[in-house]
Every structure is written in C-alpha cells, then in structure tokens.
Amino acid sequence: AQSVTQPDIHITVSEGASLELRCNYSYGATPYLFWYVQSPGQGLQLLLKYFSGDTLVQGIKGFEAEFKRSQSSFNLRKPSVHWSDAAEYFCALRAAGNKLTFGGGTRVLVKP
Amino acid sequence: AAGVIQSPRHLIKEKRETATLKCYPIPRHDTVYWYQQGPGQDPQFLISFYEKMQSDKGSIPDRFSAQQFSDYHSELNMSSLELGDSALYFCASSSVAPDGYTFGSGTRLTVV
C-alpha cells in the first residue's frame, strides 16, 4: 500500500530565512509526486510535480523540490521565505487509480 | 483560464438532513475526484469518475453517493448527515492520463 509521511507538523521560520519541508513516501512503483499549498479555508494550489527525468524540480513562487529515490524522499525547499508563504503544505503521491494520497501536511508559520 | 467550480461554497445543514454538492471540471477534463478534508486533517479520497463511470472508490460512507453527468459535472449526494460529516469537500479534475490535478476551492459543509 502507498503512503506519504510528512514528519513535521509545524515549522516556524523567520522571514527571509530558508525553508525545507520533508516528505517521505512508500510506493512499490515509480512515484508521481506533488506538492500543494493551502491557505486557510482555501483550495489546494499545485506548487510543483515530479514524474520522471531531472530529480530537481522547479515550481511556482520560488519553490523547488528534489526527488531522491534512495531515500524515498521528495523534500520541498525555498531559499528565502516571504510572509505570504505562511500556509499548510501537502505532499501527495499519485497512486493506483490515479487518486492522490496525501501526507498529513506541514503548517508553516513565518515570523517577521 | 477556467478552473474547477464547486458550489455552493458554504453549506449549513442539520443532522439527518441531506446535502448535494456540485462540481464542474475544467473543460476537456473527463475525470473527477472527490476528497473530504476534516478540520486539521489531510484530504481523504472519497470517489472518482471517468467518462461518467465510477473509476475508484475510497473511504466514502454508504450514506453518500455520487455520479458524473453527460456534461462531465459531478454531484456528491450526502444523506442522513452526521456531525462528523462537517468538513471541506474538494473536487479535482484531470485528463485521463493525469499530469496534474486541478482542485476547486471546496465546499465547506457544517452539520449542526
């Protein structure tokens, strides 16, 4: 069975500092991986996705993620966070039947 | 660009009432997915449809049913509502070989 784990429930970071959100997955085949961002009460916005090829993926809003098969990880990074990056971030895996399996989410708080 | 449209945005129902949520996918997307996100939870897959046929089923209660119509819009019907059904319900759409999923803004259902 497939699963996605986001070990950090909350992360607090200062504005302008770097951010890294961890995501580990378990899946028996080649994973299709996604990162979504959700502001309070809002929908899910796609930040980036990985299907194949270059393991470093660039997304919107200055985010990037690196796929590491050996570590079953797909960590999200941003070099310098802005106050508007405060939100909840979900890592997701496309499983059989094309449905998405989500991690538990990481809530990011940005200090001034 | 057209997005996934969900209606209504907010819905308040009493216990044991019924509710119908609607989802209008992006044009030319033939697959629709429904997810339920409880307070502080990650989205959980309920059900999906491809070309008007149910393609996959997740943790959807028997009290819920859904269908996809000839114009590809989908409706989630929820009967005998319980307090625990209070959640944000997302619809997402994709093409048959999804390289991405577009989520609607969700319907927030509150059962009182």
Side-chain angles (χ1 to χ4, degrees):
Chain A
Q2 64 278 350
S3 66
V4 179
T5 302
Q6 293 179 244
D8 305 303
I9 297 175
H10 293 100
I11 284 182
T12 300
V13 61
S14 297
E15 191 168 14
S18 64
L19 174 69
E20 181 166 12
L21 304 182
R22 295 184 290 166
C23 172
N24 295 100
Y25 68 89
S26 174
Y27 191 54
T30 300
Y32 290 179
L33 296 159
F34 304 80
W35 274 101
Y36 286 88
V37 61
Q38 183 181 34
S39 296
Q42 300 299 310
L44 295 160
Q45 182 182 22
L46 179 67
L47 287 176
L48 46 77
K49 59 192 176 189
Y50 171 78
F51 285 176
S52 64
D54 194 348
T55 56
L56 187 62
V57 181
Q58 301 298 320
I60 63 171
K61 302 185 179 187
F63 284 93
E64 67 178 23
E66 186 171 13
F67 172 66
K68 292 186 178 180
R69 185 184 298 275
S70 62
Q71 297 178 19
S72 298
S73 69
F74 187 54
N75 295 347
L76 181 73
R77 298 192 293 255
K78 184 168 184 176
S80 176
V81 299
H82 187 261
W83 64 267
S84 60
D85 294 322
E88 183 128 25
Y89 292 79
F90 290 98
C91 181
L93 168 73
R94 192 183 98 185
N98 293 328
K99 61 180 178 286
L100 292 177
T101 296
F102 288 86
T106 298
R107 182 167 297 280
V108 173
L109 303 174
V110 180
K111 294 190 301 184
Chain B
V4 175
I5 307 297
Q6 290 189 246
S7 68
R9 288 295 307 274
H10 302 274
L11 191 57
I12 299 176
K13 290 286 186 178
E14 295 187 355
K15 284 193 302 183
R16 294 179 288 279
E17 284 193 317
T18 61
T20 297
L21 279 55
K22 297 184 179 181
C23 169
Y24 297 85
I26 288 177
R28 292 180 295 281
H29 277 189
D30 48 23
T31 306
V32 169
Y33 312 81
W34 286 96
Y35 290 85
Q36 178 192 56
Q37 186 180 28
Q41 305 295 313
D42 57 292
Q44 294 292 316
F45 171 72
L46 291 178
I47 195 167
S48 63
F49 291 88
Y50 166 64
E51 284 289 345
K52 293 152 279 183
M53 299 288 290
Q54 180 182 308
S55 54
D56 201 354
K57 193 172 182 179
S59 50
I60 184 169
D62 292 340
R63 299 177 288 107
F64 294 6
S65 64
Q67 56 182 325
Q68 186 179 33
F69 295 85
S70 57
D71 65 350
Y72 295 104
H73 95 271
S74 178
E75 295 184 3
L76 177 65
N77 298 293
M78 310 160 71
S79 63
S80 302
L81 287 169
E82 302 174 356
L83 295 178
D85 297 328
S86 296
L88 195 54
Y89 290 83
F90 287 110
C91 170
S93 73
S94 73
S95 59
V96 65
D99 63 352
Y101 305 79
T102 302
F103 282 82
S105 297
T107 293
R108 182 169 295 283
L109 172 67
T110 303
V111 182
V112 296

